[in-house]
Amino acid sequence: VFNTIDPTIPHNAGTFRRVRVHLRENCVVGIPRFPHSCSVATTNVGERLVVTTQKAFADHLAGYGLAEGACGIGPAFAVVSGNDWRKGDEPYVNQKFLGSQGGPAGPRYDGWVTYGNSVTNGLMFRDSVEIDEQKYPIRVSEIRIRQDSEGAGRRRGAPGTRVVYGPKHDTMTAAYVTDGFHNPPRGTQGGGDAAPSIAFKVDKNREETPLRPISTERLEPGERLGQLLSGGGGYGKPLEREPELVCDDVLAGFIGFARAGDVYGVVFTSEVLSAALTVDMGATARRRAALAGEADKR
């Protein structure tokens, strides 16, 4: 609630007393009945409740709230286990925090690239690749920005990442739960949805095969586990985004030239990535008018 209203409102006991929380018995996020517990509801289910609530504010009150951010912890955050040949086949098990999911856009600001998920809000520490590879018998092949994964908008959601890793020497087991595959983070006030979160496997021939969103996978040496992580939803119409900000996003590798033109309606004087990249303002105005006309017909 307090993420979605005026930031000048103090976060103190007096303010909190103005909020009344209703909980139902035997509810997923509520009051459990013995012998059940709320342990899962504090994270995975709670994350979905947070992003739904902040979007509800935004849908009904322009200038407030947030779009939806990414939820869940897929293969990039899998619990991995196996035996380490370097330590006399000693067993190991730990959860990896290698990925970064895109944060939601708000009415005034773009989403955080380092958002993580709604219950951490940028405060989650991501693993050091070097330390992970020293402590565990794994190799991280890729951690990079996933281009065009953001929810487009006047204020855009942050892009997600692409993460690929696997065992060095012996079999590794990875268990994960991916949210945002069927229902990726949604935009608000005309903003676009983010790309869905996709789990995949890379075989020894470097061929990629999609995996189930929720699974336990056994990986042989030479195989890799991967994830295309969701971005955050957008806030406001993409055609209203300042062209110079779209230019910055292209230079940063967050979006490609095709998406800049097709979704944001921004045309450049060239399609060569360099510090000299500039917007063709006349062509951009014509492109945006054409895209707005097509939207009106629909």
Side-chain angles (χ1 to χ4, degrees), residues 98-99 126-127 129 140-145 161-164:
L98 292 167
R126 194 175 68 191
D127 288 2
V129 171
V140 180
S141 305
E142 295 181 56
I143 298 179
R144 66 181 71 201
I145 289 292
T161 49
R162 173 184 165 94
V163 176
V164 182

Side-chain angles (χ1 to χ4, degrees), residues 84-101:
D84 192 341
W85 90 98
R86 304 169 305 175
K87 301 175 182 178
D89 283 338
E90 178 181 317
Y92 69 89
V93 59
N94 203 354
Q95 183 175 6
K96 300 292 94 187
F97 285 82
L98 292 167
S100 183
Q101 302 177 120

Side-chain angles (χ1 to χ4, degrees), residues 56-231:
F57 273 82
D59 287 346
H60 296 284
L61 295 167
Y64 293 90
L66 295 166
E68 286 189 343
C71 293
I73 44 177
F77 305 92
V79 175
V80 300
S81 60
N83 295 88
D84 192 341
W85 90 98
R86 304 169 305 175
K87 301 175 182 178
D89 283 338
E90 178 181 317
Y92 69 89
V93 59
N94 203 354
Q95 183 175 6
K96 300 292 94 187
F97 285 82
L98 292 167
S100 183
Q101 302 177 120
R108 290 176 291 276
Y109 302 103
D110 295 333
W112 294 347
V113 175
T114 56
Y115 172 77
N117 54 21
S118 62
V119 299
T120 58
N121 284 312
L123 299 178
M124 179 180 67
F125 286 102
R126 194 175 68 191
D127 288 2
S128 160
V129 171
E130 291 80 5
I131 292 176
D132 268 0
E133 291 183 337
Q134 289 175 19
K135 292 187 67 175
Y136 302 99
I138 67 169
R139 177 169 288 112
V140 180
S141 305
E142 295 181 56
I143 298 179
R144 66 181 71 201
I145 289 292
R146 180 188 178 189
Q147 193 176 76
D148 296 343
S149 60
E150 93 298 350
R154 178 172 47 82
R155 294 294 168 256
R156 55 142 183 83
T161 49
R162 173 184 165 94
V163 176
V164 182
Y165 66 101
K168 288 180 181 177
H169 189 272
D170 294 311
T171 301
M172 180 185 81
T173 300
Y176 62 85
V177 179
T178 310
D179 195 5
F181 174 74
H182 296 290
N183 299 290
R186 297 174 295 174
T188 185
Q189 293 290 335
D193 298 344
S197 187
I198 299 172
F200 63 93
K201 183 178 182 178
V202 184
D203 66 21
K204 295 178 182 179
N205 297 319
R206 300 186 180 180
E207 295 290 331
E208 295 184 8
T209 304
L211 296 174
R212 292 173 296 172
I214 300 173
S215 183
T216 298
E217 297 293 330
R218 186 178 175 87
L219 299 164
E220 300 295 334
E223 296 180 329
R224 298 287 182 266
L225 181 66
Q227 184 180 3
L228 299 175
L229 286 83
S230 294

Side-chain angles (χ1 to χ4, degrees), residues 8-22:
T8 63
I9 295 175
H11 295 182
N12 57 26
T15 302
F16 295 155
R17 283 198 296 269
R18 306 302 300 172
V19 178
R20 181 173 298 170
V21 179
H22 297 275

